[in-house]
Amino acid sequence: REGMLHSRGEVMLMMDADGAHDIYDVDRLIGKLPLGQSRGGVSAVVIGTRDTNDATVKRTIPRKIFAFFFHLWVSLFCVRGIRDTQNGFKLFTRASARLLFPNQHLTRWAFDIELLFLTQRVFGMKIYQERVSFTDVAGSKLGLISASLTMARDVALVWALYTTHLWRITRRFGGFACATAVATTAPNDSSEGPGKTEN
């Protein structure tokens, strides 16, 4: 969040810091944005998706099971029509980031879901999807069972708190600074979820 709020580029990339993604796939995400106008002015988000039938995508069986049931849960409460909400490779235009990140409340692992909920169901912005390469990286500190329970709870909370207006929407755009940046999601074992760094 802080990395995005201190960025000024026309497009801003968020990616996992564990090397699971190929940084050069960012060109594929940028290519999904509409042409003929300033890309930074387009209110849109592009997310990378992992195709489990693609030989370049390597995922363990437990992760496949988790992904299947989590996708059903997310579709029920928050975001529909998105194949891979949890892929840590997402591109935001400046216009979309100015709306989304000042409104982000979650700091745990399901913060992606909140951002996509805001994109699709609150602001009605377009979400584009593009296939990217991905490899599970050994040594992850994320406990699959504990993280799954926490994320399932947070997904329900996102729906409930926005629906009841306990989480209010702001259109204040303060905090955007003068440096173009790539925000990365750094893995850690804290229950508070990913931290953000700016490169």
Side-chain angles (χ1 to χ4, degrees), residues 79-100:
V79 186
R80 296 176 181 173
I82 304 300
R83 295 189 298 273
D84 191 357
T85 59
Q86 291 309 108
N87 190 9
F89 201 69
K90 295 180 173 67
L91 187 78
F92 302 84
T93 63
R94 180 165 177 78
S96 66
R98 282 165 59 92
L99 290 173
L100 298 175

Side-chain angles (χ1 to χ4, degrees), residues 82-141:
I82 304 300
R83 295 189 298 273
D84 191 357
T85 59
Q86 291 309 108
N87 190 9
F89 201 69
K90 295 180 173 67
L91 187 78
F92 302 84
T93 63
R94 180 165 177 78
S96 66
R98 282 165 59 92
L99 290 173
L100 298 175
F101 288 95
N103 285 294
Q104 179 190 339
H105 293 83
L106 290 181
T107 58
R108 294 177 292 268
W109 298 106
F111 77 101
D112 303 67
I113 304 300
E114 182 187 4
L115 292 174
L116 294 178
F117 180 90
L118 288 167
T119 301
Q120 185 182 80
R121 299 184 60 174
V122 175
F123 294 113
M125 292 185 285
K126 180 70 175 179
I127 300 177
Y128 298 93
Q129 302 176 74
E130 176 63 24
R131 187 179 302 173
V132 296
S133 58
F134 175 84
T135 302
D136 274 337
V137 177
S140 173
K141 297 180 181 180

Side-chain angles (χ1 to χ4, degrees), residues 7-198:
S7 299
R8 195 182 172 184
E10 284 195 350
V11 293
M12 306 171 192
L13 177 69
M14 181 178 73
M15 64 178 294
D16 290 340
D18 59 4
H21 298 92
D22 184 349
I23 185 63
Y24 293 103
D25 278 343
V26 67
D27 291 333
R28 304 178 69 172
L29 301 191
I30 294 175
K32 296 292 291 187
L33 292 173
L35 300 175
Q37 53 185 313
S38 170
R39 285 172 170 166
V42 177
S43 295
V45 175
V46 187
I47 63 176
T49 63
R50 296 163 286 193
D51 183 357
T52 56
N53 295 320
D54 191 331
T56 64
V57 179
K58 301 175 182 178
R59 304 176 71 189
T60 61
I61 292 178
R63 283 186 176 272
K64 289 181 180 180
I65 296 173
F66 160 73
F68 174 77
F69 286 104
F70 187 73
H71 177 73
L72 292 179
W73 186 254
V74 170
S75 298
L76 176 64
F77 282 103
C78 287
V79 186
R80 296 176 181 173
I82 304 300
R83 295 189 298 273
D84 191 357
T85 59
Q86 291 309 108
N87 190 9
F89 201 69
K90 295 180 173 67
L91 187 78
F92 302 84
T93 63
R94 180 165 177 78
S96 66
R98 282 165 59 92
L99 290 173
L100 298 175
F101 288 95
N103 285 294
Q104 179 190 339
H105 293 83
L106 290 181
T107 58
R108 294 177 292 268
W109 298 106
F111 77 101
D112 303 67
I113 304 300
E114 182 187 4
L115 292 174
L116 294 178
F117 180 90
L118 288 167
T119 301
Q120 185 182 80
R121 299 184 60 174
V122 175
F123 294 113
M125 292 185 285
K126 180 70 175 179
I127 300 177
Y128 298 93
Q129 302 176 74
E130 176 63 24
R131 187 179 302 173
V132 296
S133 58
F134 175 84
T135 302
D136 274 337
V137 177
S140 173
K141 297 180 181 180
L142 177 63
L144 193 58
I145 296 177
S146 61
S148 299
L149 294 175
T150 299
M151 292 170 69
R153 178 200 64 189
D154 285 348
V155 166
L157 284 176
V158 166
W159 174 83
L161 293 174
Y162 279 114
T163 300
T164 58
H165 304 288
L166 292 176
W167 281 355
R168 298 183 179 275
I169 301 299
T170 178
R171 294 181 181 271
R172 292 182 293 106
F173 304 138
F176 279 78
C178 299
T180 302
V182 172
T184 61
T185 303
N188 59 55
D189 55 2
S190 169
S191 61
E192 292 303 306
K196 294 289 189 297
T197 60
E198 184 179 2

